[in-house]
Amino acid sequence: MDESVSATLAAVEVALRGHVASADPLVAEAARHLADAGGKRFRPLLVALGAQFGDPESPQIVDAANVVELTHLATLYHDDVMDEALVRRGAPSANARWGNSVAILVGDYLFAQAADLAATLGTEAVHLQAQTFARLVHGQIAETVGPRGTDPIEHHLHVITEKTASLIATAARFGGLFSGARPEFVEALAGYGETIGIAFQLSDDLLDIASESVQSGKTPGTDLREGVPTLPVFYALAGDDTDASAVRLRELLSAGPITDDELHAEALTLLRESSAMKRARETVRSYAEEARARLAPLPAGEAKRAMEALCDFIADRTN
């Protein structure tokens, strides 16, 4: 199985270079920018793993993986414009290098490439990609406008489900669907993808706090410095602990972005040692365990073991 998955991912990488190409040199350069920067390729991995429950040699698998990766890359260009990000995957962001207009249009171009490729897979692929795109947009809108009277923690988890987990669910679904896996296997894969997607994003956010290095791909505490609230912060703000460190942490976090170096270091230390961080780790673990449970209908074997191992990795990597 390892060889099959590796071969699929290698083929996805080669094909991706072709799909980000353009007759316009500027578009080609800007579209290649993030593809060349690498990334985890987590979504193509789930397509490749999902395909193990049908015919992993199906010629449609590589195209299906490219549909989800092109869609993912497109969202990154748009995200960076909205976040006014300067860096992405260790390189200058497209908006920082070429400006917002070019970054938005290149994102649109990649969405178009994903839709064009989905059309070669059939109407169901087009339908699923469009539905997923709608969920991504709704998630981004929900994040942009804020909770609007709903519970902030529930709202945060809803944003992650729509903005991140929906595409990861589609990746796992595509793997099963385009390998010709049985319908109940396809549904199990989609359920797994959505749940592991939530755990994956939450653990990424915890890594920003817990890691001592640039393990997370950015300087530790970046979210705190930029005032981006993550699950441990929501838990800390909602907490009613009366001990001095919890009270001080709430005081620091309620002020918004923490740009002062000394205050930032203090908040990061307090957050790392807080009951809110412990609770957030438990939340990640509960989603990882739920993802494992979603695999129950799938037959035992290497692919299922690999997907279970992914649950363990995501649950353990922020400890």
Side-chain angles (χ1 to χ4, degrees), residues 67-86:
V67 170
V68 291
E69 190 64 10
L70 286 164
T71 303
H72 173 56
L73 287 174
T75 66
L76 299 184
Y77 283 84
H78 288 178
D79 275 1
D80 284 348
V81 171
M82 284 181 282
D83 297 343
E84 299 177 357
L86 299 176

Side-chain angles (χ1 to χ4, degrees), residues 5 31 48 65 85 129 167 176 181 191 258 260-261 302:
V5 170
Q129 198 253 354
L167 186 58
I258 306 173
D260 179 87
D261 287 345
E302 280 186 75

